[in-house]
Amino acid sequence: MRNVCDDFPVLQREVSGRPLIYLDSGATSQKPKQVIEAVARFYRETNANVHRGLYQLAVEATELYEEARGRVAAFIGAHPEETIFTRGTTEALNLLAYSLGEIRVGPGDEILVTVMEHHANLVPWQVLSQRKGAILRAVGITSEGELDLEDFRRKLTSRTRIVAVTHVSNVLGTVNPIPEIAEMAHGVGAVVVVDAAQSVPHMEVKVRELGCDFLAFSGHKMLGPMGIGVLWGRREHLEEMPPFLTGGEMIREVWIDRATWNDLPYKFEAGTPPVAQAVGLGAAVDYLQGLGMEEVRRHEERLVAEALEGLLARDYVEVYGPRDPGKRGGVLAFNLRGVHPHDVATLLDQEGIAIRAGHHCAQPLHRLLGVPASCRVSFYVYNTREEIEAFLSALDRVWEALGK
Amino acid sequence: MSPYEDLIIDHWRNPRNKGTLEAPDVDVTEANVPCGDVVRLQLRVRDGAVEDVRFDGRGCAISMAAASLLTEMIKGKKLEELQGMRQEDILDALGGVIKPRLNCALLSYRTLRKALDSLGARERIRGQKAGAEEKT
């Protein structure tokens, strides 16, 4: 892949007197100037509220917003009417837990998640289960850090109404076999919700190929602005579901005592949407398509292979998740024996290397791994082999300073 | 590379007053739940002063070094002196701590406050009992 670093202004700055090496794209990605410029241009030239104005500026703003929706929908192989803008993955999943939960889940019904879920794809289902008197169950993982499909088969029952699973684990990096999971889930009449926050930015994802019913992801992890995300859902489900947030935009007719709902996707977009952010996300999609998602995936696989090999070669490092880079997304979690991850992150920061340390919003998984926290590096289009090498040799210096 | 002060590395590698006391007067534990750091602090008090102290726990280098350093700072001190101890005292003693790690550095300080509160509460109860006995 061509070197894209020049497109990312923040990567030109220094941290602790060194050029910034940003290895935390799993938390949020950096933004290319094309995206920054698209957002700035919207505010400079076109800012107006959408869908209401009868004047030229509002018409242009609405066109830009809907064009962005079209681009994002095409990016995941979906219809624009089934593509709802949300604030992010978390809001999309909460929308589902509330609205889908309302029509599909009753007392004694079962919701199936996995132990590798981010809290955002776990806690909303906990709250729903408590609200409805439903049973929440979690599929385990194998010693290799892959989803235990035998356990999945065992826990999938005729009472299972919703299966909520991550496409790519934000800790283990594991890529889960969604088509297989969806087929099994549909076999018992369950609907399948996929947290795609760590997959859509990094690989080609087409909703029809995955076979799921809902897909949620965030703009800010895919070169877009913060505050914009996407919920895709099958029309037949979305039509049936009640609105989540109510107010302006999502209504058709309102009386003092009642209201009727707008068409899809607006039924789920109450209030003024994040228009500039949507336009920025559209620009991010353009940028990614310009690189080619297959090329993005290949680039990350190479970086993961290099980092994984380097980490496994160091006997003071413990790596979590699959050993095969082909079975992984662009994240790698690890620990240095006897050294707290926060110390590792602080020492690397002194060399201008930004990594994540903590439980990565996946406490149940860390409990299962038997560690309170872990270090995580995650890669994206702008990372290079030289940066991986710099990271690995800095890790050796951390071990020298703190290892016992 | 050692951007951590030598003092921190030293206390992390060679913790002072680590272990447990037999029959401590106070035994309290505090934790930083999100990062899993835990500090247990035990004090033996004689004539209103800390006669002996031990800490135990697990966590990052900064939290463990701070706990070790804190035990040195409080040993032999009068309880009323410790009441006046501020969090800046421990941060200064550590040679300054970067913002994202303040919680780690201050875990043992919070544990000390808890120990002092617990001792204070016990004193008050004892005082009330003594007062009640005088009345009868």
Side-chain angles (χ1 to χ4, degrees):
Chain A
M1 196 168 67
R2 74 180 171 89
N3 189 324
V4 297
C5 296
D6 288 347
D7 287 338
F8 292 80
V10 82
L11 297 179
Q12 313 311 316
R13 66 162 283 181
E14 294 193 341
V15 169
S16 309
R18 312 278 192 91
L20 167 65
I21 296 181
Y22 185 75
L23 302 180
D24 195 20
S25 295
T28 195
S29 68
Q30 296 303 345
K31 322 301 174 200
K33 56 188 183 221
Q34 290 83 342
V35 167
I36 298 168
E37 187 46 42
V39 174
R41 201 184 316 122
F42 175 81
Y43 283 124
R44 261 201 315 263
E45 298 174 6
T46 332
N47 181 58
N49 213 328
V50 290
H51 296 137
R52 291 175 261 272
L54 297 173
Y55 46 88
Q56 180 65 23
L57 207 60
V59 171
E60 285 179 23
T62 304
E63 276 171 9
L64 284 174
Y65 182 62
E66 292 304 330
E67 268 172 35
R69 188 196 309 279
R71 273 179 225 179
V72 174
F75 188 61
I76 56 167
H79 292 295
E81 303 80 47
E82 297 180 326
T83 305
I84 297 153
F85 281 131
T86 66
R87 205 149 51 85
T89 307
T90 297
E91 187 181 282
L93 293 169
N94 274 274
L95 186 164
L96 288 176
Y98 176 83
S99 180
L100 182 67
E102 201 53 41
I103 55 163
R104 278 196 69 87
V105 178
D109 282 342
E110 293 169 10
I111 298 164
L112 192 52
V113 295
T114 84
V115 296
M116 64 169 90
E117 296 312 311
H118 185 287
H119 296 161
N121 199 27
L122 171 61
V123 181
W125 305 114
Q126 288 175 357
V127 172
L128 170 64
S129 303
Q130 286 154 12
R131 183 159 60 92
K132 290 284 187 171
I135 300 155
L136 183 66
R137 310 178 93 182
V139 180
I141 51 172
T142 66
S143 55
E144 261 279 275
E146 292 178 42
L147 201 64
D148 184 344
L149 289 176
E150 277 309 305
D151 195 39
F152 181 80
R153 271 187 209 99
R154 266 195 304 276
K155 286 174 177 159
L156 187 71
T157 76
S158 58
R159 291 304 300 267
T160 308
R161 306 291 286 151
I162 295 171
V163 172
V165 58
T166 188
H167 192 184
V168 173
S169 161
N170 72 318
V171 178
L172 300 167
T174 317
V175 182
N176 287 321
I178 302 299
E180 209 178 329
I181 288 168
E183 202 184 326
M184 285 190 277
H186 289 153
V188 300
V191 300
V192 178
V193 174
V194 173
D195 170 359
Q198 299 291 347
S199 64
V200 167
H202 303 279
M203 55 186 71
E204 187 165 274
V205 172
K206 299 291 180 203
V207 290
R208 305 289 163 188
E209 287 167 24
L210 285 183
C212 57
D213 300 284
F214 296 94
L215 188 86
F217 57 97
S218 297
H220 73 95
K221 293 189 201 289
M222 51 187 289
L223 310 180
M226 291 178 175
I228 183 86
V230 174
L231 171 66
W232 169 83
R234 287 185 196 271
R235 177 189 288 278
E236 59 266 33
H237 297 307
L238 293 173
E239 296 278 10
E240 209 190 330
M241 284 159 51
F244 174 45
L245 301 175
T246 55
E249 184 73 20
M250 51 75 63
I251 43 79
R252 185 182 311 284
E253 274 188 290
V254 180
W255 296 266
I256 283 296
D257 60 346
R258 67 190 191 282
T260 57
W261 313 139
N262 202 341
D263 291 332
L264 292 174
Y266 311 111
K267 183 170 105 178
F268 293 103
E269 291 183 0
T272 295
V275 181
Q277 289 82 342
V279 170
L281 179 56
V285 164
D286 279 353
Y287 188 90
L288 286 170
Q289 280 177 329
L291 297 175
M293 287 311 288
E294 280 180 21
E295 193 48 46
V296 169
R297 171 74 180 148
R298 258 200 301 279
H299 175 71
E300 281 181 40
E301 248 181 64
R302 274 196 291 266
L303 294 177
V304 167
E306 172 127 356
L308 192 59
E309 192 187 341
L311 288 173
L312 291 171
R314 285 160 169 80
D315 62 358
Y316 62 81
V317 177
E318 184 181 15
V319 180
Y320 308 109
R323 295 287 184 267
D324 176 0
K327 289 181 173 178
R328 278 180 165 276
V331 306
L332 266 172
F334 62 94
N335 264 316
L336 271 55
R337 196 179 347 111
V339 181
H340 196 285
H342 286 175
D343 291 326
V344 179
T346 297
L347 285 179
L348 291 177
D349 184 44
Q350 311 286 335
E351 298 207 28
I353 302 174
I355 74 156
R356 184 90 189 269
H359 51 61
H360 321 302
C361 296
Q363 285 182 17
L365 177 62
H366 278 83
R367 218 165 278 131
L368 198 71
L369 296 170
V371 291
S374 61
C375 306
R376 185 186 74 181
V377 289
S378 49
F379 311 124
Y380 212 8
V381 292
Y382 34 72
N383 291 119
T384 63
R385 297 184 65 159
E386 292 72 33
E387 289 179 329
I388 308 285
E389 280 160 29
F391 153 69
L392 289 168
S393 66
L395 211 54
D396 288 334
R397 288 189 288 279
V398 173
W399 179 246
E400 255 166 60
L402 292 181
K404 305 199 211 197
Chain B
M1 175 186 71
S2 185
Y4 283 20
E5 295 291 320
D6 290 344
L7 180 82
I8 291 179
I9 299 288
D10 178 36
H11 275 268
W12 152 248
R13 287 198 185 280
N14 313 295
R16 328 289 203 266
N17 300 309
K18 189 152 191 226
T20 50
L21 284 176
E22 263 181 48
D25 292 297
V26 65
D27 182 346
V28 292
T29 301
E30 271 285 288
N32 278 339
V33 178
C35 47
D37 292 358
V38 179
V39 166
R40 178 185 184 187
L41 189 68
Q42 296 178 311
L43 306 178
R44 192 154 59 227
V45 181
R46 201 71 71 215
D47 302 327
V50 176
E51 186 189 56
D52 207 355
V53 54
R54 291 285 185 282
F55 88 96
D56 205 355
R58 57 166 199 278
C60 63
I62 292 180
S63 70
M64 292 299 105
S68 166
L69 189 68
L70 180 107
T71 61
E72 283 194 328
M73 290 169 74
I74 66 174
K75 201 166 176 176
K77 287 262 167 63
K78 291 257 177 230
L79 291 183
E80 52 215 53
E81 268 181 87
L82 296 184
Q83 285 290 1
M85 198 173 154
R86 299 163 312 131
Q87 54 185 38
E88 288 75 17
D89 297 332
I90 182 84
L91 296 178
D92 291 347
L94 283 165
V97 173
I98 56 170
K99 230 185 207 164
R101 306 301 300 278
L102 282 177
N103 268 334
C104 318
L106 292 173
L107 173 60
S108 50
Y109 176 79
R110 287 196 286 118
T111 318
L112 174 66
R113 301 296 334 174
K114 194 172 171 183
L116 294 174
D117 287 350
S118 156
L119 279 169
R122 215 172 306 161
E123 286 304 310
R124 275 196 300 282
I125 291 165
R126 218 172 281 163
Q128 280 163 7
K129 271 188 189 161
E133 274 161 24
E134 269 169 34
K135 274 178 202 162
T136 51

